């Protein structure tokens, strides 16, 4: 059974930082593509960043230079370091893992950036 558990969200002032964690079980983060998505109220869910099995990363233009996706293979955990946060980064952030068979989603963690 695959489980993805996000943590690290919260309320932060603009310009601040947060680090989100996605603890995985039943799926190996180092051999599958892992993504961070976000969904703001009234908007579609959008890809924020991903990391593939080779370690290549990809970022949405809106977060390039501010967010960093990484993984700890020993802990089977994926991280999203978010710096220079803006009010428009406010959203529920979701972790997603994709195997050759299907994709799995976590329950999400709320990030709120106050101006």
């Amino acid at each position: 059974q695959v489980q993805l558990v996000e943590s690290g969200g919260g309320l932060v002032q603009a310009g601040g930082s947060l680090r989100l964690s996605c603890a995985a079980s039943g799926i190996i983060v180092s051999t599958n593509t892992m993504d961070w998505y976000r969904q703001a109220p009234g908007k579609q869910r959008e890809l924020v960043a991903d990391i593939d099995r080779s370690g290549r990363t990809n970022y949405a233009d809106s977060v390039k230079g501010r967010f960093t996706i990484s993984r700890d293979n020993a802990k089977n955990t994926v991280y999203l370091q978010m710096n220079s946060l803006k009010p428009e980064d406010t959203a529920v952030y979701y972790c997603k893992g994709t195997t050759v068979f299907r994709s799995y989603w976590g329950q999400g963690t709320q990030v709120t950036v106050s101006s």
Side-chain angles (χ1 to χ4, degrees), residues 30-53:
S30 62
T31 59
N32 294 282
T33 296
M34 302 298 296
D35 309 304
W36 283 100
Y37 278 75
R38 68 185 180 187
Q39 188 166 19
K43 295 188 177 181
Q44 288 190 329
R45 194 171 294 190
E46 63 174 356
L47 177 66
V48 176
D50 59 41
I51 183 168
D52 68 13
R53 57 189 300 168

mmCIF file of all heavy atoms in Angstrom, residues 30-53:
data_model
loop_
_atom_site.group_PDB
_atom_site.id
_atom_site.type_symbol
_atom_site.label_atom_id
_atom_site.label_comp_id
_atom_site.label_asym_id
_atom_site.label_seq_id
_atom_site.Cartn_x
_atom_site.Cartn_y
_atom_site.Cartn_z
ATOM 1 N N SER A 30 13.561 7.236 -4.965
ATOM 2 C CA SER A 30 14.746 7.360 -5.817
ATOM 3 C C SER A 30 14.574 6.679 -7.170
ATOM 4 O O SER A 30 15.386 6.918 -8.073
ATOM 5 C CB SER A 30 15.969 6.786 -5.111
ATOM 6 O OG SER A 30 15.783 5.401 -4.868
ATOM 7 N N THR A 31 13.560 5.831 -7.328
ATOM 8 C CA THR A 31 13.395 5.111 -8.585
ATOM 9 C C THR A 31 12.108 5.483 -9.311
ATOM 10 O O THR A 31 11.757 4.852 -10.310
ATOM 11 C CB THR A 31 13.427 3.586 -8.358
ATOM 12 O OG1 THR A 31 12.364 3.216 -7.453
ATOM 13 C CG2 THR A 31 14.759 3.156 -7.786
ATOM 14 N N ASN A 32 11.436 6.488 -8.807
ATOM 15 C CA ASN A 32 10.208 6.958 -9.448
ATOM 16 C C ASN A 32 10.202 8.485 -9.503
ATOM 17 O O ASN A 32 10.918 9.137 -8.757
ATOM 18 C CB ASN A 32 8.984 6.482 -8.658
ATOM 19 C CG ASN A 32 8.842 4.981 -8.693
ATOM 20 O OD1 ASN A 32 8.389 4.404 -9.688
ATOM 21 N ND2 ASN A 32 9.245 4.322 -7.613
ATOM 22 N N THR A 33 9.396 9.027 -10.383
ATOM 23 C CA THR A 33 9.268 10.473 -10.463
ATOM 24 C C THR A 33 8.375 10.968 -9.332
ATOM 25 O O THR A 33 7.281 10.447 -9.107
ATOM 26 C CB THR A 33 8.671 10.893 -11.810
ATOM 27 O OG1 THR A 33 9.577 10.509 -12.848
ATOM 28 C CG2 THR A 33 8.459 12.400 -11.859
ATOM 29 N N MET A 34 8.884 11.958 -8.637
ATOM 30 C CA MET A 34 8.143 12.545 -7.522
ATOM 31 C C MET A 34 7.891 14.015 -7.832
ATOM 32 O O MET A 34 8.786 14.720 -8.322
ATOM 33 C CB MET A 34 8.944 12.414 -6.225
ATOM 34 C CG MET A 34 9.298 10.981 -5.844
ATOM 35 S SD MET A 34 7.867 9.934 -5.549
ATOM 36 C CE MET A 34 7.127 10.740 -4.119
ATOM 37 N N ASP A 35 6.676 14.454 -7.550
ATOM 38 C CA ASP A 35 6.268 15.814 -7.880
ATOM 39 C C ASP A 35 5.701 16.532 -6.662
ATOM 40 O O ASP A 35 5.162 15.905 -5.742
ATOM 41 C CB ASP A 35 5.131 15.805 -8.924
ATOM 42 C CG ASP A 35 5.432 14.949 -10.128
ATOM 43 O OD1 ASP A 35 6.456 15.187 -10.764
ATOM 44 O OD2 ASP A 35 4.624 14.053 -10.428
ATOM 45 N N TRP A 36 5.790 17.839 -6.705
ATOM 46 C CA TRP A 36 5.022 18.704 -5.814
ATOM 47 C C TRP A 36 4.058 19.500 -6.693
ATOM 48 O O TRP A 36 4.477 20.124 -7.680
ATOM 49 C CB TRP A 36 5.907 19.655 -5.037
ATOM 50 C CG TRP A 36 6.624 19.024 -3.905
ATOM 51 C CD1 TRP A 36 7.922 18.602 -3.865
ATOM 52 C CD2 TRP A 36 6.088 18.753 -2.597
ATOM 53 N NE1 TRP A 36 8.224 18.075 -2.633
ATOM 54 C CE2 TRP A 36 7.113 18.163 -1.839
ATOM 55 C CE3 TRP A 36 4.838 18.951 -2.000
ATOM 56 C CZ2 TRP A 36 6.934 17.763 -0.508
ATOM 57 C CZ3 TRP A 36 4.667 18.556 -0.685
ATOM 58 C CH2 TRP A 36 5.697 17.961 0.053
ATOM 59 N N TYR A 37 2.791 19.464 -6.323
ATOM 60 C CA TYR A 37 1.745 20.258 -6.965
ATOM 61 C C TYR A 37 1.165 21.207 -5.926
ATOM 62 O O TYR A 37 1.348 21.008 -4.719
ATOM 63 C CB TYR A 37 0.615 19.357 -7.481
ATOM 64 C CG TYR A 37 0.859 18.701 -8.807
ATOM 65 C CD1 TYR A 37 1.733 17.620 -8.919
ATOM 66 C CD2 TYR A 37 0.211 19.129 -9.963
ATOM 67 C CE1 TYR A 37 1.949 16.998 -10.145
ATOM 68 C CE2 TYR A 37 0.422 18.512 -11.192
ATOM 69 C CZ TYR A 37 1.288 17.446 -11.265
ATOM 70 O OH TYR A 37 1.496 16.832 -12.477
ATOM 71 N N ARG A 38 0.435 22.192 -6.385
ATOM 72 C CA ARG A 38 -0.302 23.054 -5.467
ATOM 73 C C ARG A 38 -1.638 23.451 -6.096
ATOM 74 O O ARG A 38 -1.784 23.471 -7.318
ATOM 75 C CB ARG A 38 0.502 24.299 -5.099
ATOM 76 C CG ARG A 38 0.729 25.292 -6.236
ATOM 77 C CD ARG A 38 1.649 26.410 -5.767
ATOM 78 N NE ARG A 38 1.896 27.377 -6.824
ATOM 79 C CZ ARG A 38 2.771 28.375 -6.714
ATOM 80 N NH1 ARG A 38 3.489 28.523 -5.600
ATOM 81 N NH2 ARG A 38 2.934 29.224 -7.711
ATOM 82 N N GLN A 39 -2.565 23.744 -5.215
ATOM 83 C CA GLN A 39 -3.890 24.186 -5.660
ATOM 84 C C GLN A 39 -4.360 25.309 -4.766
ATOM 85 O O GLN A 39 -4.554 25.115 -3.561
ATOM 86 C CB GLN A 39 -4.886 23.031 -5.644
ATOM 87 C CG GLN A 39 -6.222 23.384 -6.265
ATOM 88 C CD GLN A 39 -7.078 22.174 -6.540
ATOM 89 O OE1 GLN A 39 -6.875 21.098 -5.984
ATOM 90 N NE2 GLN A 39 -8.031 22.321 -7.445
ATOM 91 N N ALA A 40 -4.538 26.472 -5.372
ATOM 92 C CA ALA A 40 -5.056 27.631 -4.668
ATOM 93 C C ALA A 40 -6.577 27.651 -4.797
ATOM 94 O O ALA A 40 -7.134 27.060 -5.730
ATOM 95 C CB ALA A 40 -4.452 28.907 -5.247
ATOM 96 N N PRO A 41 -7.266 28.317 -3.889
ATOM 97 C CA PRO A 41 -8.731 28.371 -3.937
ATOM 98 C C PRO A 41 -9.210 28.893 -5.287
ATOM 99 O O PRO A 41 -8.745 29.934 -5.767
ATOM 100 C CB PRO A 41 -9.084 29.324 -2.806
ATOM 101 C CG PRO A 41 -7.950 29.215 -1.856
ATOM 102 C CD PRO A 41 -6.728 29.012 -2.701
ATOM 103 N N GLY A 42 -10.141 28.159 -5.903
ATOM 104 C CA GLY A 42 -10.716 28.581 -7.164
ATOM 105 C C GLY A 42 -9.834 28.371 -8.372
ATOM 106 O O GLY A 42 -10.189 28.780 -9.483
ATOM 107 N N LYS A 43 -8.681 27.735 -8.170
ATOM 108 C CA LYS A 43 -7.759 27.516 -9.291
ATOM 109 C C LYS A 43 -7.503 26.035 -9.496
ATOM 110 O O LYS A 43 -7.743 25.203 -8.604
ATOM 111 C CB LYS A 43 -6.440 28.247 -9.045
ATOM 112 C CG LYS A 43 -6.571 29.760 -9.018
ATOM 113 C CD LYS A 43 -5.214 30.424 -8.977
ATOM 114 C CE LYS A 43 -5.326 31.938 -9.034
ATOM 115 N NZ LYS A 43 -3.997 32.610 -9.015
ATOM 116 N N GLN A 44 -6.983 25.712 -10.678
ATOM 117 C CA GLN A 44 -6.645 24.332 -10.968
ATOM 118 C C GLN A 44 -5.346 23.947 -10.260
ATOM 119 O O GLN A 44 -4.491 24.791 -9.987
ATOM 120 C CB GLN A 44 -6.487 24.148 -12.484
ATOM 121 C CG GLN A 44 -7.794 24.194 -13.255
ATOM 122 C CD GLN A 44 -7.626 23.758 -14.699
ATOM 123 O OE1 GLN A 44 -6.578 23.959 -15.305
ATOM 124 N NE2 GLN A 44 -8.658 23.154 -15.265
ATOM 125 N N ARG A 45 -5.218 22.670 -10.010
ATOM 126 C CA ARG A 45 -3.977 22.161 -9.433
ATOM 127 C C ARG A 45 -2.872 22.319 -10.477
ATOM 128 O O ARG A 45 -3.072 22.025 -11.654
ATOM 129 C CB ARG A 45 -4.145 20.689 -9.051
ATOM 130 C CG ARG A 45 -3.068 20.145 -8.161
ATOM 131 C CD ARG A 45 -3.409 18.751 -7.648
ATOM 132 N NE ARG A 45 -4.566 18.759 -6.759
ATOM 133 C CZ ARG A 45 -4.946 17.706 -6.038
ATOM 134 N NH1 ARG A 45 -4.256 16.568 -6.096
ATOM 135 N NH2 ARG A 45 -6.014 17.778 -5.269
ATOM 136 N N GLU A 46 -1.709 22.785 -10.024
ATOM 137 C CA GLU A 46 -0.613 23.023 -10.948
ATOM 138 C C GLU A 46 0.677 22.391 -10.447
ATOM 139 O O GLU A 46 0.910 22.296 -9.239
ATOM 140 C CB GLU A 46 -0.389 24.528 -11.153
ATOM 141 C CG GLU A 46 0.019 25.283 -9.909
ATOM 142 C CD GLU A 46 0.368 26.746 -10.183
ATOM 143 O OE1 GLU A 46 0.355 27.160 -11.358
ATOM 144 O OE2 GLU A 46 0.663 27.463 -9.212
ATOM 145 N N LEU A 47 1.510 21.984 -11.404
ATOM 146 C CA LEU A 47 2.805 21.413 -11.060
ATOM 147 C C LEU A 47 3.738 22.508 -10.582
ATOM 148 O O LEU A 47 3.880 23.553 -11.226
ATOM 149 C CB LEU A 47 3.401 20.711 -12.289
ATOM 150 C CG LEU A 47 4.796 20.127 -12.114
ATOM 151 C CD1 LEU A 47 4.787 18.974 -11.115
ATOM 152 C CD2 LEU A 47 5.348 19.657 -13.458
ATOM 153 N N VAL A 48 4.373 22.264 -9.451
ATOM 154 C CA VAL A 48 5.348 23.196 -8.891
ATOM 155 C C VAL A 48 6.769 22.748 -9.235
ATOM 156 O O VAL A 48 7.586 23.539 -9.705
ATOM 157 C CB VAL A 48 5.185 23.311 -7.369
ATOM 158 C CG1 VAL A 48 6.266 24.199 -6.774
ATOM 159 C CG2 VAL A 48 3.798 23.829 -7.014
ATOM 160 N N ALA A 49 7.062 21.482 -8.973
ATOM 161 C CA ALA A 49 8.415 20.967 -9.215
ATOM 162 C C ALA A 49 8.369 19.452 -9.273
ATOM 163 O O ALA A 49 7.476 18.830 -8.686
ATOM 164 C CB ALA A 49 9.366 21.409 -8.106
ATOM 165 N N ASP A 50 9.334 18.870 -9.991
ATOM 166 C CA ASP A 50 9.443 17.423 -9.959
ATOM 167 C C ASP A 50 10.898 17.000 -10.028
ATOM 168 O O ASP A 50 11.783 17.779 -10.388
ATOM 169 C CB ASP A 50 8.610 16.739 -11.061
ATOM 170 C CG ASP A 50 8.996 17.175 -12.465
ATOM 171 O OD1 ASP A 50 10.202 17.318 -12.736
ATOM 172 O OD2 ASP A 50 8.085 17.358 -13.287
ATOM 173 N N ILE A 51 11.127 15.759 -9.617
ATOM 174 C CA ILE A 51 12.457 15.172 -9.652
ATOM 175 C C ILE A 51 12.305 13.750 -10.167
ATOM 176 O O ILE A 51 11.478 12.990 -9.673
ATOM 177 C CB ILE A 51 13.130 15.240 -8.255
ATOM 178 C CG1 ILE A 51 14.552 14.677 -8.322
ATOM 179 C CG2 ILE A 51 12.300 14.553 -7.189
ATOM 180 C CD1 ILE A 51 15.367 14.984 -7.066
ATOM 181 N N ASP A 52 13.099 13.397 -11.191
ATOM 182 C CA ASP A 52 12.956 12.060 -11.757
ATOM 183 C C ASP A 52 13.990 11.118 -11.157
ATOM 184 O O ASP A 52 14.778 11.498 -10.275
ATOM 185 C CB ASP A 52 13.013 12.096 -13.283
ATOM 186 C CG ASP A 52 14.378 12.472 -13.839
ATOM 187 O OD1 ASP A 52 15.373 12.479 -13.084
ATOM 188 O OD2 ASP A 52 14.451 12.762 -15.051
ATOM 189 N N ARG A 53 13.989 9.871 -11.628
ATOM 190 C CA ARG A 53 14.838 8.856 -11.016
ATOM 191 C C ARG A 53 16.325 9.163 -11.176
ATOM 192 O O ARG A 53 17.132 8.732 -10.368
ATOM 193 C CB ARG A 53 14.509 7.482 -11.589
ATOM 194 C CG ARG A 53 14.641 7.376 -13.084
ATOM 195 C CD ARG A 53 14.085 6.067 -13.582
ATOM 196 N NE ARG A 53 14.790 4.929 -12.996
ATOM 197 C CZ ARG A 53 14.371 3.674 -13.076
ATOM 198 N NH1 ARG A 53 13.237 3.389 -13.700
ATOM 199 N NH2 ARG A 53 15.052 2.700 -12.553
#
